[in-house]
Amino acid sequence: MASNELGSANANAAAAAVPELSVVVPIFNEGAVLPELLQRLAAALATTAPDYELVLVDDGSVDESPAILLGAAERDSRLRVLRFSRNFGHQAAVTAGIEHARGRAVVVIDADLQDPPEVIPELVAAWRQGYEVVSAVRTERPGESALRLLLIRTFYRVLKRIASVDMTPDAGDFRLLDRRVADALNRLPERNRYVRGLVRWLGFRHVEVRYKRAERFAGETKYPYAKLVRLALDGVTAFSNLPLQLVTWMGFAVFGLSLLLVVYGLLGRLFGGQTPAGWTSVFVAVAFLSGVQLVALGILGAYVSRIFEEVKGRPLYVIAFDSARARAPRP
Ligand code: UDP
Ligand code: MG
């Protein structure tokens, strides 16, 4: 078995030496940002961890990103480009990057320079002090709409209250993972990848580094509200069963209410003489109950659809191109 592993490792030219640091970047239509990003990453890493690799995950971009990435990878062998066969989403790209990273520590950073590469040395310093998970926590997020910020802030605080693990509010995926944490993360079988939650679920020695989030360097956000809501629902359903318990409590509350109404109705019939006409009460009860039932069904559906995703067992992403394989000599 060992000789097989060695054999396949030898066949893969990219697996030669293990870099100290891997930097994973999910990329979706970031052509306007990439040249600046690559330059600032190289500058920030040059002094801190010159022995690094960049794992650039192209999540099915349809702009000039693939061409820029290819050109850069041809000039610098420390760059590895993985291209998905289509857009699989931010969390899938982050997962793929961490799975392919080989460094003794792995940093995940957004491409749009909202997470400044200049913070990476601070993350690395904390890692060298012995911390295994170093989360970069945003103290400010300029350039985003007030409504968006309010929703995001509220979401993080609600999730922290109801989640079964200790979530870090206001931390995205800008984070350093020790090799042991990355390996443990890669072994988690679930398809619902709310990566920032999974990392905290794993445990290990954790520390926060605070930073001011910058404005997006160029281009539009790749997270429209619909995607944001899906991410939020993934986070809630993966780390809390509270919505399901809520359905049960709603059921009890409605049941209690209906008992009162039964008693009221019976008393009225027995002692009141004439029964009330009752159209309004019937209408209100029917409307209220159908509302409650639909909400309950929706909550159940959110969990069932995620069970369905897990059971199907499809891969999280499909890689159409890997610069490490393209570089390796054909057998
Ligand atoms: N991204 C991705 N796939 C997607 C959407 C986004 O790989 O389907 C990348 C994007 O290129 C960026 C990061 O994920 O590097 C975060 O996206 P964005 O900055 O648009 O999100 P925001 O900061 O606005 O929440
Ligand atoms: Mg951004």
Side-chain angles (χ1 to χ4, degrees):
M1 182 200 107
S3 69
N4 261 348
E5 275 174 13
L6 276 182
S8 64
N10 279 342
N12 189 350
V18 172
E20 186 188 25
L21 187 68
S22 297
V23 178
V24 168
V25 193
I27 295 159
F28 181 49
N29 295 340
E30 303 283 11
V33 185
L34 283 178
E36 172 87 5
L37 171 78
L38 294 174
Q39 201 185 324
R40 276 175 59 185
L41 275 176
L45 293 171
T47 45
T48 322
D51 178 24
Y52 68 87
E53 69 169 354
L54 292 187
V55 182
L56 305 159
V57 185
D58 175 2
D59 186 11
S61 297
V62 290
D63 66 346
E64 65 277 22
S65 300
I68 298 175
L69 291 175
L70 258 192
E74 268 165 20
R75 286 190 298 277
D76 187 344
S77 62
R78 289 176 300 187
L79 271 58
R80 175 163 185 192
V81 177
L82 300 171
R83 192 187 308 141
F84 285 177
S85 56
R86 63 169 170 84
N87 180 246
F88 280 92
H90 180 207
Q91 298 294 302
V94 168
T95 303
I98 298 175
E99 282 177 357
H100 287 81
R102 295 171 301 125
R104 291 199 283 115
V106 182
V107 168
V108 177
I109 187 170
D110 279 357
D112 58 358
L113 292 167
Q114 275 190 300
D115 306 336
E118 294 72 27
V119 177
I120 295 180
E122 289 178 50
L123 304 184
V124 173
W127 172 61
R128 287 185 180 141
Q129 277 171 23
Y131 290 102
E132 292 153 307
V133 178
V134 189
S135 301
V137 176
R138 312 141 174 169
T139 54
E140 282 175 35
R141 316 175 52 134
E144 293 184 74
S145 80
L147 174 66
R148 196 180 164 94
L149 287 185
L150 179 74
L151 291 178
I152 291 174
R153 273 185 65 86
T154 313
F155 166 72
Y156 278 128
R157 271 150 195 83
V158 170
L159 184 62
K160 185 176 167 60
R161 283 197 77 104
I162 68 175
S164 49
V165 298
D166 183 20
M167 298 282 179
T168 320
D170 300 321
D173 291 311
F174 188 18
R175 181 173 285 114
L176 179 144
L177 308 177
D178 182 72
R179 170 52 40 202
R180 299 214 318 235
V181 184
D183 285 345
L185 183 67
N186 293 340
R187 275 198 298 275
L188 293 182
E190 59 200 280
R191 247 131 273 284
N192 177 353
R193 294 314 262 208
Y194 186 70
V195 177
R196 59 200 73 167
L198 293 176
V199 169
R200 298 297 283 131
W201 180 88
L202 285 170
F204 291 99
R205 259 171 307 161
H206 176 249
V207 72
E208 294 174 8
V209 166
R210 310 207 153 252
Y211 76 106
K212 279 188 196 168
R213 204 159 206 231
E215 284 192 40
R216 188 171 239 290
F217 179 73
E220 296 268 288
T221 175
K222 309 300 181 294
Y223 256 103
Y225 279 105
K227 266 190 184 174
L228 215 53
V229 168
R230 207 178 320 145
L231 181 71
L233 285 179
D234 278 344
V236 170
T237 51
F239 290 96
S240 173
N241 288 330
L242 190 75
L244 287 174
Q245 288 160 13
L246 227 57
V247 172
T248 314
W249 289 117
M250 241 158 37
F252 276 122
V254 169
F255 179 64
L257 213 67
S258 66
L259 277 186
L260 288 180
L261 284 175
V262 166
V263 171
Y264 169 78
L266 283 181
L267 290 181
R269 178 113 185 103
L270 290 177
F271 304 109
Q274 47 167 291
T275 40
W279 182 85
T280 312
S281 57
V282 169
F283 172 78
V284 166
V286 169
F288 176 69
L289 278 180
S290 2
V292 167
Q293 283 173 354
L294 283 180
V295 169
L297 273 181
I299 294 176
L300 285 180
Y303 283 87
V304 171
S305 69
R306 281 167 180 80
I307 298 173
F308 187 43
E309 288 302 319
E310 300 290 335
V311 170
K312 278 190 285 190
R314 284 187 196 149
L316 263 175
Y317 55 84
V318 175
I319 291 182
F321 171 82
D322 176 352
S323 66
R325 283 178 193 282
R327 228 181 259 139
R330 288 181 188 281

